[in-house]
């Protein structure tokens, strides 16, 4: 597993200030985000956990997964969560020709918009990799580029469930955007961590909002 940063440094946020990393610290509000779904085995479970706490979240969906699991995708929308674009094929910008990358985003947007009941255009680059030139094009198309403040690392099968939970608890603050994955690979860690996060921060008086 390649090294990664659990807490996004202030310098990175400053250097890439046209991307959204977190929100105001004045309110006890957290922004849970889920990448790579919808996935039958875990997305519906995630929705059920969120519903228990009346928590809203943002799901960055892979277009081909939306096509495969459209009923689950519609359930995300009906439950009042926000939807973001995560490309159609989960492409890596650093390994994809520029036009093909933009075309893949547009393909995903067509799929996402079949029944999307929101005017939002949110985009999160897979792997967090996005060339500056591509970010300019994407923002010109009206997208907000949403990154994250806290990486749970639920995708990392080499760490314990307890470590995954610690990643979130130790680094989350008012306004944090927290990255989880509703994917099979992350499911074991997510199923341990998410209920505890929802309970812990609810008891501390936080609310969970979707990104708008």
């Amino acid at each position: 597993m390649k090294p990664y940063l659990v807490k996004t440094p202030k310098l990175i946020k400053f250097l890439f200030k046209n991307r959204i990393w977190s929100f105001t610290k004045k309110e006890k509000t957290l922004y849970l985000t889920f990448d790579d779904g919808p996935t039958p085995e875990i997305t519906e479970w995630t929705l059920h956990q969120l519903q228990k706490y009346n928590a809203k979240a943002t799901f960055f969906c892979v277009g081909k997964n939306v096509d495969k699991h459209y009923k689950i995708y519609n359930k995300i929308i009906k439950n009042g969560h926000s939807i973001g674009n995560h490309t159609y094929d989960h492409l890596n910008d650093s390994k994809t020709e520029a036009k093909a990358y933009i075309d893949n985003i547009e393909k995903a947007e067509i799929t996402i918009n079949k029944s999307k009941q929101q005017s939002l255009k949110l985009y999160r680059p897979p792997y967090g990799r996005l060339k500056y030139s591509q970010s300019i094009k994407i923002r010109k198309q009206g997208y907000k580029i949403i990154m994250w403040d806290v990486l749970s690392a639920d995708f990392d099968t080499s760490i314990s469930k307890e470590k995954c939970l610690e990643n979130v608890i130790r680094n989350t603050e008012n306004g944090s955007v927290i990255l989880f994955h509703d994917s099979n690979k992350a499911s074991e860690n997510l199923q341990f961590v998410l209920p505890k996060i929802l309970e812990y921060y609810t008891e501390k008086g936080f609310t969970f909002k979707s990104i708008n």
Side-chain angles (χ1 to χ4, degrees), residues 1-2 4 152-160 164 185-186 189:
M1 180 66 65
K2 293 182 179 179
Y4 49 80
S152 70
D154 54 357
F155 59 86
D156 188 348
T157 57
S158 70
I159 67 171
S160 68
C164 185
K185 183 179 181 181
N189 282 336

Side-chain angles (χ1 to χ4, degrees), residues 33-47:
T33 65
F34 299 88
D35 286 8
D36 300 352
T39 308
E41 294 81 0
I42 192 65
T43 302
E44 290 188 284
W45 176 88
T46 300
L47 291 173

